[in-house]
Structure formats: structure tokens, C-alpha cells
Amino acid sequence: ASMGRLIAYGWPMAWIAAPILLARYFNVNDQLIQRLSVLLAVACWPPLLLREAGVPHIATDAISIAVAIACYAIAIKSLKPNRLAAA
């Protein structure tokens, strides 16, 4: 199986699993959901926007990865104080 196909079929499952896992392991509130949604959008859009702006592929990839890493770090930092003690 190709990596692209596995990713294409697999990532929508995250949209189904994420709310269940978040509710199970974290104290979820509207502010946290909004923050995570914004971080997801910020992490997902740079590749398209940078390529449309004509930025070279190597620079687009490097910038996109840096933005995604920063978004994941912020998401983890946002989730830590909301972790349920029993989980």
C-alpha cells in the first residue's frame, strides 16, 4: 500500500477518534476546543498557502514543518493542565 493512500484513508479517523479520546482523558471545555481547532488550521494551511505564493518546495516544507511543530508544542502545553487525574 502506498503511504499517500494510507494517510488519505487514515487521517479522517482522527476526526472521529479525537473527540472521544479528548473527552476521556482531558477536561474539555469550549475554550480548549477553539484553541485546538485554530492550531489545527494553522498547522494545516501553510503548505498550500506557501506553494500558491510561489515559495520554493524546500522552503515550503521547512516552514510548514516548523509551524506544525510549534502548533503541536502549543497544543501539548494547552492540554497538560486539563488532564484528568484518573486517566
Side-chain angles (χ1 to χ4, degrees):
S2 73
M3 183 60 73
R5 189 170 49 155
L6 291 173
I7 292 169
Y9 292 152
W11 79 263
M13 194 61 181
W15 287 100
I16 296 168
I20 296 167
L21 293 173
L22 281 173
R24 183 174 180 180
Y25 295 108
F26 296 95
N27 182 17
V28 182
N29 57 42
D30 289 343
Q31 182 182 11
L32 180 62
I33 296 298
Q34 289 172 347
R35 181 176 296 138
L36 293 175
S37 297
V38 168
L39 287 169
L40 179 63
V42 170
C44 289
W45 282 100
L48 175 68
L49 296 176
L50 292 169
R51 285 191 181 137
E52 289 296 319
V55 177
H57 285 289
I58 293 175
T60 295
D61 292 345
I63 293 167
S64 298
I65 290 169
V67 168
I69 289 171
C71 288
Y72 285 122
I74 294 167
I76 291 167
K77 186 177 178 183
S78 298
L79 286 170
K80 278 187 180 180
N82 293 302
R83 183 153 174 97
L84 296 175

